[in-house]
Amino acid sequence: MAKELWKGNEAIAEAAIRAGCDCFFGYPITPQNEIPEYMSLHMPQHGKVFVQAESEVAAINMVYGAAAAGKRAMTSSSSPGISLKQEGISYIAGAELPAVIINMSRGGPGLGTIQASQADYFQSTRGGGNGDYRTMVLAPQSIQEAVDLVQDAFDLADKYRNPVLILADGMIGQMMEPIEWKQRPSVELPPKDWAATGRHGREKNNFVTSLRIDAPDCELHNVHIQSKYDRMAEEELRYETIGCDGQEPEIILASYGTTARICWSAINRLERKYGIKAGLFRPITLFPFPYDQLHQIASRPGVKAVISVEMSQGQMVDDVKLAVNGAAPVHFFGRAGGSIPTVDEVADFAASVVKGGAGK
Amino acid sequence: MKPVYVKSKGLQDTELHYCPGCSHGIVHKLIAETLEELNIIDTSVLICPVGCGVFAGNYLACDAVEAAHGRAPAVATGIKRTCPDQPVFTYQGDGDLASIGIAEIVHAAMRGEKFTTIFINNGIYGMTGGQMAPTTLIGQKATTAPLGRQKELHGEPIRMCEMLSSLGGLVYAERVCVADVPHIIKAKRAIKKAFTKQLNNEGFTFVEVLAACPTNWAMTTRKANEWVLGPMAEYYPLGVIKEV
Ligand SMILES: Cc1ncc(C[n+]2csc(CCOP(=O)(O)OP(=O)(O)O)c2C)c(N)n1
């Protein structure tokens, strides 16, 4: 198929429609506005539902309702709005409903800035709302990958009956890139026999709820939910490595999304400017995190250090440390609050780590 | 032998957890009968509140979804917009609807969402133990207003029927109570009318029920019902507030 030039936000919206999204509920916030704008025009043309909600709180609860009725539901927002959605996301996870949520994240805290940021890593991967739950978190680094992941996200949400979060940033949302709409194989998914669709002759009513008032019952429910996360870690890990296999890198850059793209170039710069061989470890699933895979790479002889490169003050670095677990020293390099690290900054920092003996 | 009274098929065969004298059970029964009479038990979806009505999905026989506190109108919007042929209704207390969920109910009414809301106004937070609600009457004591509600401190109680009636999307708002048999009959009529209008796709329909909470009002059942018919009905006038 021929490549087409698409803006990130619009491509993501179109990808959702192609994935069979039945309904979209949103609220304006920069830098994701093109998603609800695109949906407001195109969803009705496909006979699908678009509602501009009164708030992000309402939008995520509309998602909750539609998902409870067995529909493929999606919402999108950016950091402050995603914070407001956390209540609903917790309920969606607790009631075991599928839903897709897009975060075109921006710098915080508070109102922060509309520029791209990766400061929502903790909120995304640690639960965000109340209770012992996780969202599956997918982090695209390009428009093509965003489009592919959005379509996967609906299947993964249905498979696990769990919210799936696409964690991108304003950069992915706003830039334009050529993409290809791929023919996708249809996936076999469990029937939604739990949905509140009206009984239509069913013997007992379906009651979609996150309430488990008796503690032993609530504990069992938590154990069950946890078992889904364990299964995700077995079956759904996604990551990419560059310059790691057969190339004996001295240093590993660990980075996701936009900063991983900067790290590609930094790897070249390190080789040419400093004669240092570097590799990239790019997690695509941030939850579940590919701990063992990163550990194996960090454990190779010749690897002097691992550097987590982020647009934050150091969040994914916690997972990188858990993964590396002493196999090599772990360093952090980041820019925060909407600033984006340059290729030179990353390369120079990495070189200083190698030259400085790579110790902690 | 011909039975003179049978329990509605709209109710499940289970015990309710409500306190003696509480109005929730009566309203459940009226809804159940309405669903049965309109033949929509099998198609309807109930959205439960956070509050004493949280278990309503265990009592009513139709499918149900439990919403976060105050969010039932948003949840109902998500269901009704994607399943327009299904009857959808929310069942909400006054803390749920008139306090934490005020934005959701106002905007659902503004959009004219084609579902029905049954609003249980007992003037108090029942489930959490009798704290002040936006609907608590002036002078009425609550566990967070130990000296009674004061106008200067807390403002005057909110009249939801009247407030929502200013919105074009709302086609029917009636305030009823279930404090005695004649009023129960009127309440049933109002609930059935609201569902019928929904089935005709007319717009958003709203029934406010002045409800007794003897436990948290620290009253006997009889005194509680007198309170409903007296001071409550005086501040919250019974009857049709809007019908188009
Ligand atoms: C976000 C959130 N805040 C507070 C609560 C605690 N809470 C549970 S029920 C309730 C009040 C319910 O009162 P009302 O809506 O008047 O219904 P009633 O119990 O009187 O029927 C509150 C505040 C909660 N569950 N969730």
Side-chain angles (χ1 to χ4, degrees):
Chain A
M1 244 210 206
K3 294 220 169 187
E4 296 172 10
L5 192 62
W6 279 79
K7 185 173 189 171
N9 281 334
E10 290 175 350
I12 283 170
E14 175 62 25
I17 292 172
R18 289 177 188 234
C21 178
D22 294 304
C23 47
F24 178 91
F25 307 98
Y27 187 83
I29 185 169
T30 308
Q32 61 85 55
N33 289 319
E34 294 83 358
I35 300 179
E37 284 166 359
Y38 189 94
M39 288 305 216
S40 70
L41 179 65
H42 289 87
M43 288 294 271
Q45 289 174 356
H46 289 85
K48 306 289 177 67
V49 171
F50 168 87
V51 179
Q52 178 170 328
E54 59 271 32
S55 67
E56 289 87 351
V57 175
I60 192 70
N61 282 287
M62 291 174 189
V63 165
Y64 176 92
K71 304 295 181 188
R72 285 197 149 180
M74 177 168 126
T75 185
S76 67
S77 190
S78 180
S79 308
I82 295 290
S83 293
L84 279 182
K85 290 185 196 293
Q86 294 303 331
E87 172 195 60
I89 296 173
S90 169
Y91 275 71
I92 289 169
E96 291 195 85
L97 296 175
V100 175
I101 301 136
I102 315 279
N103 183 0
M104 287 297 167
S105 70
R106 59 187 242 183
L111 205 45
T113 166
I114 59 171
Q115 303 303 327
S117 167
Q118 295 177 326
D120 296 349
Y121 183 92
F122 285 152
Q123 184 194 55
S124 307
T125 59
R126 265 56 185 170
N130 65 296
D132 259 339
Y133 79 93
R134 305 294 184 105
T135 50
M136 186 184 273
V137 185
L138 308 174
Q141 63 160 0
S142 66
I143 314 294
Q144 179 70 59
E145 192 171 43
V147 157
D148 294 341
L149 289 179
V150 165
Q151 296 180 77
D152 290 347
F154 282 94
D155 290 341
L156 289 165
D158 280 345
K159 178 175 173 185
Y160 290 97
R161 290 179 58 184
N162 199 68
V164 176
L165 179 77
I166 306 279
L167 181 61
D169 58 56
M171 192 74 104
I172 306 271
Q174 294 300 320
M175 69 183 176
M176 292 182 87
E177 284 188 319
I179 60 162
E180 193 183 338
W181 296 105
K182 297 171 189 161
Q183 201 62 40
R184 302 175 63 79
S186 67
V187 182
E188 193 147 340
L189 292 165
K192 296 186 174 181
D193 50 9
W194 42 263
T197 52
R199 282 169 61 180
H200 300 288
R202 201 189 321 108
E203 197 174 331
K204 204 185 151 356
N205 75 332
N206 280 345
F207 188 12
V208 176
T209 179
S210 62
L211 180 64
R212 301 283 185 285
I213 197 77
D214 294 320
D217 189 27
C218 196
E219 184 180 30
L220 276 180
H221 186 57
N222 272 272
V223 170
H224 161 65
I225 285 177
Q226 184 59 45
S227 75
K228 298 198 296 188
Y229 305 145
D230 295 343
R231 203 175 129 216
M232 284 178 199
E234 297 263 308
E235 296 179 19
E236 311 300 345
L237 287 178
R238 298 183 191 199
Y239 61 98
E240 182 189 38
T241 61
I242 293 173
C244 293
D245 294 315
Q247 293 170 54
E248 297 180 4
E250 290 175 68
I251 192 138
I252 303 294
L253 305 179
S255 195
Y256 70 97
T258 293
T259 46
R261 298 254 308 242
I262 295 164
C263 288
W264 291 2
S265 306
I267 289 172
N268 292 332
R269 191 74 46 98
L270 275 163
E271 173 103 62
R272 269 186 276 131
K273 191 167 165 189
Y274 296 103
I276 294 171
K277 276 207 163 122
L280 170 68
F281 185 86
R282 180 174 75 90
I284 299 168
T285 50
L286 301 181
F287 183 87
F289 191 88
Y291 290 110
D292 292 346
Q293 291 72 12
L294 176 54
H295 183 79
Q296 279 163 21
I297 287 171
S299 309
R300 290 191 193 156
V303 171
K304 292 182 179 147
V306 178
I307 305 173
S308 188
V309 181
E310 305 172 43
M311 292 191 292
S312 78
Q313 295 286 48
Q315 299 196 12
M316 186 181 77
V317 64
D318 283 11
D319 277 331
V320 171
K321 283 180 181 163
L322 286 171
V324 172
N325 197 16
V330 172
H331 296 258
F332 169 74
F333 181 78
R335 296 291 306 275
S339 296
I340 296 167
T342 65
V343 172
D344 275 323
E345 281 173 346
V346 175
D348 293 349
F349 180 83
S352 76
V353 167
V354 175
K355 291 195 175 131
K360 278 216 167 186
Chain B
M1 232 191 339
K2 196 170 173 288
V4 288
Y5 178 84
V6 285
K7 193 168 89 175
S8 167
K9 289 195 178 67
L11 285 170
Q12 300 189 42
D13 206 7
T14 182
E15 257 175 55
L16 312 195
H17 74 284
Y18 298 115
C19 304
C22 165
S23 302
H24 276 302
I26 300 172
V27 181
H28 281 20
K29 176 189 124 123
L30 301 182
I31 294 171
E33 289 175 357
T34 300
L35 297 181
E36 186 175 2
E37 288 163 25
L38 296 175
N39 196 23
I40 53 170
I41 298 171
D42 229 25
T43 48
S44 295
V45 179
L46 151 72
I47 301 46
C48 306
V50 170
C52 289
V54 72
F55 295 112
N58 292 333
Y59 305 148
L60 288 165
C62 58
D63 273 2
V65 179
E66 161 53 28
H69 198 17
R71 316 300 176 215
V75 175
T77 299
I79 299 177
K80 188 72 186 195
R81 289 287 184 118
T82 54
C83 311
D85 298 333
Q86 273 171 226
V88 173
F89 65 107
T90 74
Y91 183 95
Q92 302 178 256
D94 43 7
D96 193 78
L97 181 142
S99 189
I100 195 168
I102 192 87
E104 284 77 9
I105 193 66
V106 166
H107 283 268
M110 183 200 78
R111 292 188 302 263
E113 295 295 343
K114 293 178 182 60
F115 63 80
T116 299
T117 289
I118 308 294
F119 170 44
I120 308 297
N121 178 1
N122 58 12
I124 205 111
Y125 283 61
M127 177 163 257
T128 39
Q131 294 83 7
M132 187 181 65
T135 44
T136 302
L137 295 181
I138 298 289
Q140 187 182 348
K141 283 187 180 163
T143 53
T144 50
L147 305 177
R149 181 175 184 147
Q150 293 162 258
K151 185 178 161 186
E152 307 70 41
L153 210 55
H154 309 112
E156 291 181 41
I158 196 164
R159 294 187 183 95
M160 286 308 304
C161 269
E162 287 79 351
M163 187 181 151
L164 295 177
S165 289
S166 73
L167 299 166
L170 181 146
V171 294
Y172 174 60
E174 180 163 354
R175 188 180 285 117
V176 298
C177 76
V178 291
D180 58 22
V181 173
H183 283 102
I184 290 175
I185 292 167
K186 278 191 195 156
K188 166 76 180 292
R189 238 181 267 147
I191 290 170
K192 197 162 172 183
K193 192 172 190 177
F195 274 91
T196 306
K197 284 176 173 292
Q198 178 185 169
L199 294 178
N200 294 336
N201 253 330
E202 289 179 39
F204 180 64
T205 50
F206 189 79
V207 178
E208 174 172 345
V209 185
L210 301 183
C213 181
T215 300
N216 286 299
W217 293 353
M219 290 181 194
T220 61
T221 299
R222 179 193 296 261
K223 273 263 174 296
N225 283 326
E226 283 168 12
W227 176 265
V228 169
L229 291 168
M232 266 189 111
E234 197 175 306
Y235 187 83
Y236 299 111
L238 298 172
V240 175
I241 308 298
K242 179 178 177 183
E243 185 169 2
V244 291

